[in-house]
Amino acid sequence: KNDVQYLNVNHVRDFIHVDDIVSAIDTVLHNDIRGVIDVGTCISNKLVDIAEYFKIDHENRIADETERLNNTEILKSLGWHAKINLYNYIEENKDVQ
């Protein structure tokens, strides 16, 4: 809708496809791992970069806040990694209605 008013230039997100989440859960279920396990791609995407990619008008704002990033070392140690890249997925599906 191109109705984003502003974005904090410090905000980043780790976008992950549901298929990768299911794969991570399956990996954990088949190992003797206990405790909290972060699931993510370990790729930080700035929200302003995504807005620019989609040519969405917005005002940039700067905030002091930083965000906690995922620690996926446990999953990596089990040989797991995300297979679907955000920008590749967008390109492959941009014409889907």
Side-chain angles (χ1 to χ4, degrees):
K1 293 181 182 180
N2 199 19
D3 61 357
V4 176
Q5 293 178 354
Y6 68 89
L7 289 172
N8 179 340
V9 297
N10 295 330
H11 280 197
V12 295
R13 297 288 186 273
D14 182 344
F15 293 94
I16 185 168
H17 194 276
V18 66
D19 290 349
D20 284 330
I21 294 171
V22 170
S23 169
I25 292 169
D26 186 57
T27 298
V28 171
L29 287 175
H30 290 92
N31 286 279
D32 292 331
I33 302 296
R34 299 279 183 258
V36 176
I37 299 171
D38 286 343
V39 177
T41 64
C42 285
I43 299 172
S44 298
N45 296 281
K46 286 185 171 186
L47 295 184
V48 292
D49 291 343
I50 293 170
E52 289 171 8
Y53 180 87
F54 284 108
K55 298 177 178 46
I56 296 172
D57 297 328
H58 64 280
E59 174 189 335
N60 286 342
R61 293 194 184 170
I62 299 174
D64 295 331
E65 305 167 16
T66 57
E67 301 175 45
R68 177 186 173 278
L69 298 178
N70 290 334
N71 178 357
T72 59
E73 293 304 314
I74 294 172
L75 278 171
K76 284 182 183 178
S77 73
L78 298 173
W80 181 87
H81 66 279
K83 295 182 177 131
I84 301 173
N85 174 279
L86 173 65
Y87 287 96
N88 291 344
Y89 183 82
I90 291 170
E91 282 300 319
E92 292 167 5
N93 294 283
K94 66 182 177 185
D95 296 324
V96 175
Q97 296 292 331

